[in-house]
Amino acid sequence: MTAVRTTPRVDSSFGAPLRVEGSPSAPLRVEGREGAPLRVALADDHAVVRAGYRRLLELEADMAVVAEYGDADSAYSALCNGGASHELPDLLVLDLSMPGRSGLELLRRLTLRRPELPVLVFTMHESAAMLDQCLRAGAAGFVTKSSAPEVLVDAVRRAARGERALSPDMLALQVAQGAGGPPHARLSSREFDILTQLLAGQSVDEIAQTLRLSVKTVANYQTRIRQTLGVVTAVELLRYGREHGLSGP
């Protein structure tokens, strides 16, 4: 568990520092174990992207990036099989679109194996349905990659303190969504995961191999997904994904 202390921060190159209620002049500092900097791990398949937000986070005096992973399987192996609980980072920043298992599947598995590890989703996906699936799977927060740099820094601190951290665009989308929602909101977690992989261009055979399911099982999921969404062909499915912000650029 991380502790919150109200001590001055050395530098704040991105945006105004957070303020603590009752102490307007004191920026909020989040510390890791025994007063050390907050230990952050990054999971994203693009090395250049990881380098960018590693640099962003390490400009903050109270943060240190201690590990990077390029795919979901290597992240899971390191975080769940690589050592004891006290050797974990304090927080994982997780992209959803990675080769092999999706970030959403990794999130679900980490929630079961390492529930003490906060996971902040940092993604290009900007849909209320993806937000809902991630929060249901145990995410501590959800920030879109179109957000300003200071939004990510703020979200890391909030998630480490045990707060739910949403970027402003997703908070507004969540409010606007209201009750009910579109057809894809009725999909199960597994169905939604398979939908996102279909929209990413993966075949039924590829999805079956990735999820270690039979081809017949994935094909049955695909049929149920299309029925729920009211689409018949693959083209209609792709159009539905674009119209609802479920497909990446």
Side-chain angles (χ1 to χ4, degrees):
M1 294 294 293
T2 59
V4 178
R5 295 178 56 189
T6 56
T7 57
R9 183 147 54 89
V10 174
D11 178 54
S12 178
S13 301
F14 293 87
L18 295 170
R19 300 292 178 182
V20 181
E21 185 177 355
S23 179
S25 63
L28 184 63
R29 177 184 174 96
V30 179
E31 294 180 345
R33 301 173 182 88
E34 299 179 356
L38 187 70
R39 293 161 46 86
V40 181
L42 310 177
D44 192 300
D45 63 323
H46 292 97
V48 173
V49 174
R50 291 198 309 271
Y53 57 94
R54 168 189 277 271
R55 190 177 306 112
L56 169 68
L57 296 177
E58 291 192 333
L59 283 170
E60 303 299 312
D62 56 337
M63 296 184 191
V65 175
V66 298
E68 296 184 16
Y69 314 109
D71 59 78
D73 286 336
S74 63
Y76 182 81
S77 178
L79 295 170
C80 294
N81 304 320
S85 180
H86 69 273
E87 298 173 335
L88 284 173
D90 299 311
L91 179 137
L92 173 67
V93 178
L94 172 66
D95 185 24
L96 295 178
S97 301
M98 292 189 289
R101 292 182 186 271
S102 69
L104 184 57
E105 178 70 13
L106 173 60
L107 172 61
R108 295 192 189 103
R109 299 177 78 198
L110 288 176
T111 298
L112 292 174
R113 286 290 304 275
R114 295 295 198 187
E116 70 276 24
L117 175 65
V119 179
L120 175 66
V121 172
F122 185 48
T123 178
M124 65 182 180
H125 293 285
E126 300 182 1
S127 75
M130 185 66 80
L131 168 63
D132 180 64
Q133 289 288 333
C134 288
L135 295 181
R136 285 165 55 187
F142 191 106
V143 175
T144 58
K145 289 185 176 179
S146 60
S147 301
E150 60 267 23
V151 171
L152 176 61
V153 174
D154 177 45
V156 167
R157 289 197 174 94
R158 290 182 181 277
R161 297 200 303 270
E163 300 175 15
R164 176 164 289 182
L166 302 181
S167 55
D169 55 344
M170 297 312 296
L171 182 59
L173 190 59
Q174 187 182 54
V175 172
Q177 186 73 25
H184 57 262
R186 300 195 296 271
L187 297 176
S188 69
S189 296
R190 175 64 81 187
E191 289 169 345
F192 190 85
D193 196 18
I194 290 175
L195 170 62
T196 60
Q197 294 184 61
L198 289 169
L199 293 175
Q202 295 191 48
S203 68
V204 168
D205 288 353
E206 291 170 333
I207 296 171
Q209 183 176 7
T210 297
L211 298 181
R212 295 181 175 87
L213 299 173
S214 71
V215 172
K216 182 179 180 180
T217 297
V218 175
N220 288 338
Y221 272 122
Q222 178 181 234
T223 298
R224 291 204 298 271
I225 290 167
R226 290 184 179 183
Q227 290 172 344
T228 300
L229 303 185
V231 302
V232 177
T233 67
V235 172
E236 291 174 342
L237 185 66
L238 291 173
R239 184 182 301 120
Y240 183 98
R242 288 194 299 270
E243 290 174 351
H244 291 84
L246 300 175
S247 301

